[in-house]
Amino acid sequence: MGIKDTGCLNHVPYGYGVLRSYNGKCHYYRDNQHIRHNFKMKEFNPKRIHPYGVMEKLVDDLQKMRYLLGVPIIVTSGYRRESNPHGAGLAADITVPRKSFIQVAEAAYHAGFRRIEVMKRYGTSYGNLMSVGGHVHLDVYDGSGNTTWGTEYDCPSCDRIPCYPWYAWGIQNSWSATSHPNTFNQLLHNLKTNAHDTGYRGC
Ligand SMILES: [Zn+2]
């Protein structure tokens, strides 16, 4: 997995998920339980994987976003069994059908996210409402290595979780090309000019 399992996820009863708090403690919540005002535990597990978990900071920042936007945020992909931020409970792919990609990216930044990837579909604009399809990937990786699995990544370079901060945009699934926005303002500029290339900030 690339992630050292120090035990947190090994003791999750069926029908429960793990919320891993800032101090590293694991809290078990029933799938249907609200873990924040607008989010239930199971919303971070759309693929219904067992066991699963989510980092508290991800939930907190999404709740801040939810207050800023004033409309529902749908997590389309949360926990996954992968060696990447999703597999560490650090990431969510979201859609906000009643807001544009640009509005969602801005709300994410203001809520505190510093790793943001905006993915639209061919034939659409970042100014469109997200109901046209596509997603925004958000994660709270901060270099500390804290995950739902335990305490640290065991990958020496963490090459699948390349850097912090990280701003990317693209079309369909091809995001790893051309230009290099270094700041959120550069990302925003690319979104507002509806740049047709794709790009990300390398480490
Ligand atoms: Zn993602």
Side-chain angles (χ1 to χ4, degrees):
M1 289 291 292
I3 293 165
K4 191 181 289 180
D5 181 0
T6 55
C8 227
L9 276 180
N10 288 337
H11 307 286
V12 190
Y14 276 94
Y16 286 74
V18 168
L19 179 73
R20 188 160 188 266
S21 62
Y22 295 90
N23 63 12
K25 289 221 169 80
C26 294
H27 305 275
Y28 301 121
Y29 289 92
R30 289 193 314 279
D31 288 338
N32 273 322
Q33 220 167 337
H34 273 94
I35 52 177
R36 286 298 179 275
H37 189 71
N38 295 105
F39 292 97
K40 288 181 177 175
M41 187 72 232
K42 67 179 180 185
E43 290 183 67
F44 295 91
N45 188 27
K47 294 190 194 312
R48 295 179 178 268
I49 292 167
H50 179 83
Y52 74 98
V54 64
M55 297 297 285
E56 187 169 33
K57 180 164 171 50
L58 179 66
V59 184
D60 278 342
D61 288 358
L62 279 171
Q63 181 64 57
K64 279 183 218 159
M65 255 185 97
R66 173 66 177 76
Y67 287 134
L68 287 170
L69 289 165
V71 294
I73 295 172
I74 298 161
V75 178
T76 55
S77 182
Y79 188 77
R80 302 201 293 247
R81 283 201 186 100
E82 294 172 8
S83 181
N84 65 25
H86 284 279
L90 296 162
D93 296 346
I94 62 158
T95 182
V96 185
R98 290 153 69 181
K99 296 289 179 182
S100 73
F101 292 87
I102 291 169
Q103 288 172 310
V104 171
E106 285 183 310
Y109 185 78
H110 290 304
F113 284 105
R114 294 297 179 266
R115 285 174 49 90
I116 301 170
E117 180 192 50
V118 184
M119 302 299 290
K120 68 173 186 176
R121 290 188 178 164
Y122 286 108
T124 66
S125 152
Y126 297 111
N128 288 147
L129 297 182
M130 286 195 73
S131 54
V132 296
H135 71 270
V136 174
H137 166 104
L138 301 169
D139 76 67
V140 293
Y141 176 69
D142 63 0
S144 73
N146 282 320
T147 76
T148 50
W149 285 97
T151 53
E152 57 185 313
Y153 301 97
D154 63 4
C155 51
S157 62
C158 281
D159 56 350
R160 286 170 193 243
I161 306 177
C163 48
Y164 170 88
W166 176 72
Y167 301 108
W169 80 108
I171 301 170
Q172 311 278 77
N173 287 318
S174 60
W175 56 266
S176 55
T178 63
S179 317
H180 293 251
N182 292 317
T183 65
F184 180 72
N185 278 340
Q186 282 175 277
L187 173 67
L188 204 55
H189 174 79
N190 287 325
L191 299 180
K192 285 184 173 170
T193 57
N194 206 33
H196 282 293
D197 58 352
T198 60
Y200 75 109
R201 181 191 174 183
C203 296

